[in-house]
């Protein structure tokens, strides 16, 4: 790049930076929207079923049955409503006031006294919510097993299991869903900033005709696109800094990686995000249409097909192949690794390579579309 071209490029970047600073919508999307989204994802969205309401029907109030019911009441995972008949709780289950019913039958004490026949319980769950239903079933079994072990110890019997399973959880020892949801939410925020903001602002210039005026100057199309995205690239990194600070200081999400890894991966992700915004704006030249396409092509795939909320391996094969062209699919695992595991550079290198390749393809398509539109 010669001296004149460098001066023109710097002037273009300065003009775009001033435009970003003077545009309230850019500041709103870059700094207010991320905080609002993080609050929603951090506080309102949780996959942890910490307290679930259930009912317990004790058909025969023997000491053993009452002791088992007391174990359910003492569990921090359940809030218990007691009854003497299952039918008293059925209406509560139908209208979702409780999520399951544990029936302790009348012959429970007799079965429990016989070591050859383990006591039987009936657990009724609301299958309209499969995750909560599985949670109630598994934790009910856990409470019963704990009670049986404690009862055996009280009677001087060693309840040693056949297999001693030693459980250990890496990286998220408390299994708090917020710790992996918040880094994923940051990826959604970065998608919004990179794609939606770029598409809106550049489409606005197409509507006003200022893009054609700038293309009529000696500035090349490559310089124009680079000068357009550079302020938004820096804006995206500033928004990332704000998101990370909120995540660590407010939500208490651990940050075990390095800032170098965080910014390298995030800078690579901004390339396809900004490239998609440029491509949409060049193809539509209309703010309303650009915003709709940015939501459909950027936000929704990042939210639904990136593995942020739904496991990709559980999706149909054709959808799994489709997720391979979603940049957030490669950014979210890298971001979660930076937060929860630390620096794992082979993973970062692979993600960065894929994201930069996607970015190069999208920028090339955006530059080609821009030239065609001017022709």
């Amino acid at each position: 790049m010669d001296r004149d071209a460098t001066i023109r490029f710097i002037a273009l970047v300065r003009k775009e930076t001033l435009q970003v600073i003077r545009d309230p919508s850019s500041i709103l999307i870059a700094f207010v929207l991320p905080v609002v989204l993080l609050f929603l994802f951090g506080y309102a969205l949780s996959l942890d079923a910490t307290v679930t309401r259930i009912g317990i029907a004790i058909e025969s109030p023997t000491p053993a049955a009452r002791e088992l019911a007391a174990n359910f009441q003492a569990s921090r995972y359940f809030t218990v409503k007691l009854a003497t008949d299952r039918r008293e709780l059925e209406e509560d289950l139908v209208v979702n006031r409780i999520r399951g019913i544990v029936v302790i039958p009348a012959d429970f004490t007799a079965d429990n006294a016989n070591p050859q026949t383990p006591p039987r319980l009936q657990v009724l769950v609301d299958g309209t919510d499969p995750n909560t239903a599985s949670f109630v079933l598994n934790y009910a079994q856990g409470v019963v097993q704990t009670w049986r072990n404690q009862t055996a110890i009280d009677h001087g019997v060693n309840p040693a299991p056949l297999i001693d399973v030693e459980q250990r959880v890496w990286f998220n020892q408390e299994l708090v869903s917020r710790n992996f949801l918040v880094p994923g939410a940051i990826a959604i925020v970065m998608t919004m900033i990179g794609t939606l903001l770029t598409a809106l602002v550049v489409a606005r210039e197409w509507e006003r005709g200022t893009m054609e005026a700038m293309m009529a100057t000696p500035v090349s199309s490559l310089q124009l696109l680079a000068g357009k995205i550079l302020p938004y690239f820096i804006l995206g990194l500033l928004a990332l800094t704000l998101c990370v600070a909120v995540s660590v200081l407010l939500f208490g999400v651990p940050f075990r990686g390095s800032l170098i890894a965080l910014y390298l991966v995030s800078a690579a992700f901004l390339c396809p995000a900004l490239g998609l915004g440029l491509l949409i704006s060049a193809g539509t030249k209309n703010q309303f249409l650009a915003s709709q396409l940015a939501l459909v092509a950027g936000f929704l795939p990042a939210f639904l097909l990136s593995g942020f909320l739904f496991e990709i391996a559980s999706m149909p094969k054709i959808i799994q192949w489709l997720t391979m062209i979603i940049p957030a699919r490669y950014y979210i695992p890298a971001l979660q690794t930076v937060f929860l595991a630390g620096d794992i550079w082979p993973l970062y290198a692979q993600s960065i390579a894929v994201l930069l390749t996607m970015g190069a393809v999208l920028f090339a398509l955006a530059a080609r579309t821009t030239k065609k539109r001017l022709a």
Side-chain angles (χ1 to χ4, degrees), residues 61 103 125 168 174-175 186 199 210-211 260 266 347 354:
V103 181
V125 294
R168 184 170 298 174
E174 297 178 350
L175 296 177
I186 293 176
T210 53
M211 282 292 288
I260 295 176
S266 301
L347 172 66
V354 174

Side-chain angles (χ1 to χ4, degrees), residues 35-366:
V35 175
V36 173
L37 288 177
L38 280 182
F39 268 86
L40 288 176
F41 285 120
Y43 283 120
L45 181 61
S46 173
L47 303 180
D48 303 325
T50 53
V51 179
T52 304
R53 301 180 305 278
I54 64 170
I56 296 181
I58 306 176
E59 295 183 345
S60 179
T62 61
R66 288 199 298 267
E67 186 179 343
L68 177 58
N71 275 261
F72 275 98
Q73 290 177 301
S75 171
R76 66 187 178 95
Y77 299 108
F78 294 122
T79 297
V80 175
K81 178 180 180 181
L82 294 177
T84 57
D85 193 300
R86 186 193 66 188
R87 287 168 290 189
E88 299 175 24
L89 300 170
E90 287 180 350
E91 182 180 352
D92 292 332
L93 183 64
V94 171
V95 298
N96 286 330
R97 283 197 289 265
I98 59 175
R99 309 311 297 265
I101 301 174
V102 177
V103 181
I104 304 177
D107 57 356
F108 174 77
T109 301
D111 288 344
N112 187 48
N114 185 355
Q116 302 300 323
T117 57
R120 294 178 301 168
L121 293 176
Q122 184 181 40
V123 181
L124 305 172
V125 294
D126 180 2
T128 57
D129 184 347
N131 290 332
T132 304
S134 299
F135 169 82
V136 172
L137 289 172
N138 293 330
Y139 275 86
Q141 291 177 2
V143 171
V144 173
Q145 187 60 45
T146 302
W147 172 79
R148 291 199 68 193
N149 290 342
Q150 186 59 47
T151 302
I153 293 174
D154 293 342
H155 288 80
V157 179
N158 183 11
L162 296 177
I163 300 176
D164 184 14
V165 178
E166 183 178 349
Q167 296 182 342
R168 184 170 298 174
V169 179
W170 286 11
F171 310 130
N172 187 13
Q173 287 82 1
E174 297 178 350
L175 296 177
V176 178
S177 62
R178 178 187 294 172
N179 288 347
F180 73 89
L181 285 177
V182 169
I186 293 176
I188 304 300
V189 169
M190 296 291 285
T191 302
M192 293 286 289
I193 294 173
T195 303
L196 179 62
L197 183 59
T198 309
L200 277 177
V201 174
V202 180
R204 183 190 308 161
E205 296 209 26
W206 282 109
E207 284 183 344
R208 293 173 177 172
T210 53
M211 282 292 288
E212 287 87 345
M214 283 188 287
M215 290 296 291
T217 66
V219 176
S220 67
S221 59
L222 184 60
Q223 287 179 328
L224 179 59
L225 292 179
K228 279 284 178 190
I229 65 167
L230 186 56
Y232 296 101
F233 181 83
I234 296 173
L235 197 64
L237 293 182
L238 292 176
L240 171 72
T241 305
L242 174 65
C243 291
V244 172
V246 171
S247 303
V248 174
L249 300 178
L250 187 60
F251 296 119
V253 179
F255 186 85
R256 301 191 175 100
S258 65
L259 291 176
I260 295 176
L262 172 70
Y263 283 102
L264 279 178
V265 174
S266 301
F269 174 72
L270 281 173
C271 293
L274 293 168
L276 181 60
L278 280 178
L279 179 61
I280 291 173
S281 63
T284 60
K285 293 184 176 180
N286 179 281
Q287 288 188 72
F288 176 77
L289 189 55
S291 64
Q292 299 303 308
L293 281 178
L295 289 175
V296 173
F299 175 73
L300 289 181
F303 191 78
L304 299 174
L305 303 179
S306 62
F308 170 52
L309 287 180
F310 308 107
E311 179 61 41
I312 293 177
S314 301
M315 298 177 184
K317 279 293 180 185
I318 188 170
I319 301 298
Q320 291 185 35
W321 294 336
L322 182 61
T323 63
M324 298 180 73
I325 61 171
I326 307 300
R329 169 182 174 157
Y330 306 95
Y331 182 47
I332 289 178
L335 204 54
Q336 291 171 335
T337 303
V338 171
F339 271 90
L340 299 179
D343 288 348
I344 302 179
W345 286 104
L347 172 66
Y348 300 154
Q350 183 181 6
S351 299
I352 289 172
V354 174
L355 291 170
L356 289 179
T357 303
M358 289 182 173
V361 171
L362 289 169
F363 278 125
L365 290 175

